[in-house]
Amino acid sequence: MNSTQYQAIYDEYGIDYAVDVSQYNNLLDVYNQLFIKHASATALTCMGYSLSYKELDEKSNDFAAYLQNETNLVAGDRVAVMLPNILQQPVSVLGILKAGMVLVNTNPLYTPRELEHQLNDSGAKALVMLANMGDVVEEVLPHTQNIEHVLMTQVGDFHPTVKRLLINTVVKYVKKGVPKFNLPQAISLNSAIALGSQKQVTQSSPTRDDVAVLQYTGGTTGLSKGAMLTHGNLIANCLQLDGFLAKFDLKQRQEVVIQPLPLYHIYAFTMTLVMLRYGSQNVLIPNPRDLPGLVTTISKYPASIFCGLNTLFVALFNDEKFKALPLSELRMTVSGGMALTQDTAKQWKRVTGVTITEGYGLTEASPVVTFNPAEAQRIGSIGFPLPLTDLKLLDDNGNEVEQGSEGELAVKGPQVMKGYWNNEEATAKTIVDDWLLTGDIATIGDDGFVKIVDRKKDMIIVSGFNVYPNEVEDELSKHPEVVECAVIGIPDDIKGENIKAFVVKTPNSTLTDSQLIEFARENLTAYKVPKLVEFRSDLPKSNVGKILRRELRDE
């Protein structure tokens, strides 16, 4: 269906279809207005300390001034930010954008191999990192090609002096969270901001077509690719959501948004951009796996908006302390990143009284493609497309299927990426005639609602994170007792999918599943490590010797 056909559906649900994505030249135009309008309001809160919109503006200005005046970096250079959800993360991000540079969102839990690839592929010249990852950075830096500047921060560095010392001492000595490392070239982020405060920032003026963020996503070759998300892409996606969110009257008061999902992930990143536009207070959760800590934070800052995914919802509504919280302020719960199960949606509504609003997207679309209208949530459906977004379903030959038939979902809209960084071949395979091929098999009903029924790709989604089998198989194959292997996703009620590996061992091998899993941990982020290993004498193959993962999935 195209955007014209959806006009009637929008009218039915009272959603404004008119979106002017050209009203801002860049993201800075969006947020400079907000810093003035909401200057005294709280923008960010983390571990009991807050920054106002004015303070967020000032600190990010100072960081931008540092990058422009105290380094050799110029507009367009890439700067990697490897931070969890702490106050320093959005300050660094905004500072990079204000300096006219390109943000490279980087997972702080990356292994050395993963980090080395991303830094080299992006050509990043600077890295903003947490001291907790110092040993990984120390190992990787000698193998990077472009990193010239390393800025380091500790968890509590933005807090007042006494609390800063307390937090950093506990993290380092009590929780043993900071390893031994030697990075003599690193300077503290606080020092950089202090130096920048003595300089003038030169306001950059990127265009809508200029790249704002390199957002890395898994690749079929086992190496992740940098999706080039432009200022225009991200502005469009924020504005496209306005009509769907209008029912919640987010501009009538300051909302309290609990954000436990990592800001380096595109779902949380864009949702935070959206919520900052509304002048909300964004409560950042550094470690969502610390469920007692998350529940305590929610008790201190009664949420009106909660951003989560299936895994987290299940953990919370099974927690007795969470169920005992007064959740009368909660008005909106947003789910993305992975499929929402019907049971999870039902249980969340029972415990909180709030219906989960589910959307669908992918990194290459900044990320939101479809959304459910507030008054017509359909669990199992991903809603209908955002304004200015066209969808069509294709068969294996690239032809559009008949109405009601299944086909690969293709997307066209202003939120679709510019392409993959320095990878024209992959771009050409993914964007065909301006249509983004998602790899997801879907159906579109007569009422316009879309349902994902399968994945064309072999990609596995674990708690909202994409895992590509080739990458995992490449690592498992490095074990000297592994002859060949295949990796698939198997259903999991909480995580969406778990990873299972089928392995053929060398003759007389004594390799155990636990030993192989431990081997995988050395070079793979935790969510990419197989949870199950099955040893076999052989694996199903095609006539040309290609391992048939689909047969393993269908067993």
Side-chain angles (χ1 to χ4, degrees):
M1 299 181 74
N2 59 41
S3 53
T4 302
Q5 292 170 301
Y6 272 105
Q7 177 69 65
I9 299 173
Y10 273 74
D11 291 343
E12 178 183 348
Y13 290 102
I15 298 174
D16 187 3
Y17 195 78
V19 176
D20 179 11
V21 296
S22 66
Q23 61 185 287
Y24 301 106
N25 292 318
N26 51 56
L27 285 168
L28 304 178
D29 285 351
V30 178
Y31 295 101
N32 285 339
Q33 296 177 18
L34 299 176
F35 292 140
I36 298 172
K37 182 178 179 181
H38 303 290
S40 61
T42 299
L44 305 166
T45 298
C46 184
M47 295 184 294
Y49 186 67
S50 298
L51 293 179
S52 68
Y53 278 84
K54 181 181 179 181
E55 290 168 326
L56 174 57
D57 185 26
E58 292 173 343
K59 281 185 174 291
S60 57
N61 271 343
D62 292 343
F63 184 50
Y66 169 82
L67 293 174
Q68 290 177 334
N69 295 283
E70 298 292 334
T71 73
N72 61 350
L73 302 177
V74 297
D77 281 344
R78 277 77 62 205
V79 180
V81 174
M82 189 180 179
L83 298 176
N85 288 11
I86 54 178
L87 299 173
Q88 295 93 309
Q89 203 277 354
V91 167
S92 299
V93 166
L94 283 169
I96 291 164
L97 296 177
K98 286 180 176 183
M101 297 167 192
V102 177
L103 166 68
V104 182
N105 269 325
T106 305
N107 186 341
L109 299 180
Y110 270 161
T111 64
R113 180 189 65 84
E114 294 165 325
L115 178 61
E116 179 182 334
H117 165 69
Q118 186 166 314
L119 293 179
N120 284 333
D121 186 77
S122 66
K125 293 185 177 181
L127 171 66
V128 184
M129 55 161 286
L130 191 67
N132 301 48
M133 289 77 201
D135 57 339
V136 174
V137 174
E138 180 185 5
E139 180 179 340
V140 167
L141 281 185
H143 306 288
T144 60
Q145 301 162 2
N146 299 287
I147 295 291
E148 300 176 27
H149 308 280
V150 178
L151 298 114
M152 185 169 61
T153 189
Q154 298 184 68
V155 173
D157 276 1
F158 272 21
H159 292 253
T161 304
V162 174
K163 190 172 183 181
R164 177 175 72 245
L165 293 173
L166 177 61
I167 291 173
N168 291 343
T169 298
V170 169
V171 169
K172 185 173 184 178
Y173 296 107
V174 179
K175 296 187 176 182
K176 308 294 184 183
V178 179
K180 292 182 179 179
F181 62 88
N182 182 33
L183 292 171
Q185 69 272 59
I187 76 164
S188 78
L189 182 61
N190 275 355
S191 296
I193 290 173
L195 285 170
S197 68
Q198 301 170 29
K199 304 289 184 178
Q200 287 292 322
V201 63
T202 302
Q203 184 71 49
S204 64
S205 300
T207 68
R208 283 191 295 274
D209 197 46
D210 286 332
V211 177
V213 180
L214 287 186
Q215 188 72 36
Y216 275 76
T217 184
T220 54
T221 62
L223 295 174
S224 59
K225 307 183 293 291
M228 294 186 286
L229 303 182
T230 66
H231 284 264
N233 292 152
L234 292 164
I235 290 170
N237 213 216
C238 289
L239 297 178
Q240 287 171 309
L241 285 165
D242 278 350
F244 284 87
L245 300 179
K247 297 286 184 180
F248 295 99
D249 293 326
L250 302 184
K251 295 181 181 180
Q252 300 305 310
R253 65 174 191 176
Q254 187 178 41
E255 305 293 339
V256 177
V257 183
I258 302 294
Q259 184 53 275
L261 304 179
L263 296 180
Y264 57 78
H265 190 283
I266 188 60
Y267 165 37
F269 180 81
T270 299
M271 284 306 299
T272 300
L273 291 180
V274 169
M275 293 306 166
L276 283 171
R277 278 190 63 237
Y278 287 108
S280 64
Q281 176 183 2
N282 296 269
V283 182
L284 306 181
I285 308 298
N287 180 16
R289 294 182 182 85
D290 176 13
L291 201 64
L294 172 57
V295 173
T296 297
T297 300
I298 297 173
S299 70
K300 291 180 180 179
Y301 303 97
S304 56
I305 299 174
F306 187 87
C307 298
L309 42 66
N310 199 84
T311 313
L312 188 55
F313 297 140
V314 172
L316 285 171
F317 65 61
N318 283 313
D319 184 88
E320 294 302 321
K321 290 186 177 180
F322 177 78
K323 289 191 288 187
L325 290 178
L327 298 170
S328 57
E329 294 295 318
L330 187 63
R331 301 192 298 120
M332 178 182 178
T333 300
V334 182
S335 175
M338 65 182 291
L340 177 70
T341 66
Q342 292 191 20
D343 183 66
T344 296
K346 180 181 177 181
Q347 294 298 330
W348 183 264
K349 177 68 178 289
R350 180 183 62 81
V351 171
T352 68
V354 176
T355 300
I356 296 177
T357 301
E358 185 178 12
Y360 162 84
L362 62 166
T363 300
E364 291 87 345
S366 306
V368 188
V369 172
T370 67
F371 213 67
N372 272 281
E375 69 277 31
Q377 299 299 314
R378 299 191 186 182
I379 303 304
S381 165
I382 57 173
F384 50 79
L386 301 186
L388 308 182
T389 302
D390 292 344
L391 304 181
K392 65 180 179 180
L393 302 178
L394 305 174
D395 62 21
D396 289 340
N397 296 317
N399 300 314
E400 193 164 356
V401 303
E402 295 181 0
Q403 176 67 29
S405 299
E406 296 179 357
E408 180 178 5
L409 183 65
V411 180
K412 181 189 287 187
Q415 72 271 49
V416 171
M417 68 172 182
K418 193 172 186 176
Y420 292 119
W421 175 257
N422 286 340
N423 198 330
E424 293 182 3
E425 181 180 356
T427 300
K429 290 179 179 178
T430 304
I431 300 179
V432 179
D433 295 329
D434 294 329
W435 287 88
L436 172 66
L437 306 182
T438 67
D440 287 317
I441 306 301
T443 59
I444 301 177
D446 292 336
D447 57 2
F449 281 77
V450 185
K451 178 180 287 188
I452 301 295
V453 297
D454 197 3
R455 267 198 303 279
K456 184 176 180 180
K457 301 175 185 175
D458 289 323
M459 182 179 71
I460 305 165
I461 299 181
V462 180
S463 295
F465 290 95
N466 295 350
V467 179
Y468 282 77
N470 284 8
E471 180 181 13
V472 182
E473 291 164 0
D474 286 346
E475 288 306 313
L476 296 180
S477 297
K478 292 176 182 176
H479 194 288
E481 295 180 45
V482 171
V483 176
E484 61 183 4
C485 62
V487 168
I488 66 169
I490 57 174
D492 182 276
D493 290 339
I494 296 177
K495 295 181 179 180
E497 289 182 294
N498 268 325
I499 301 171
K500 181 176 181 178
F502 296 85
V503 177
V504 176
K505 298 190 288 186
T506 57
N508 304 316
S509 168
T510 59
L511 180 66
T512 66
D513 55 352
S514 59
Q515 289 172 335
L516 186 58
I517 289 171
E518 191 58 36
F519 175 81
R521 292 187 194 282
E522 295 178 8
N523 286 307
L524 293 171
T525 308
Y527 64 83
K528 298 179 184 177
V529 175
K531 296 295 182 289
L532 297 170
V533 174
E534 181 178 325
F535 293 108
R536 293 196 169 188
S537 58
D538 56 50
L539 298 176
K541 296 183 178 70
S542 68
N543 292 335
V544 295
K546 180 180 179 181
I547 295 175
L548 301 174
R549 297 192 190 105
R550 183 173 291 277
E551 287 195 14
L552 294 171
R553 285 197 298 268
D554 292 343
E555 289 181 359

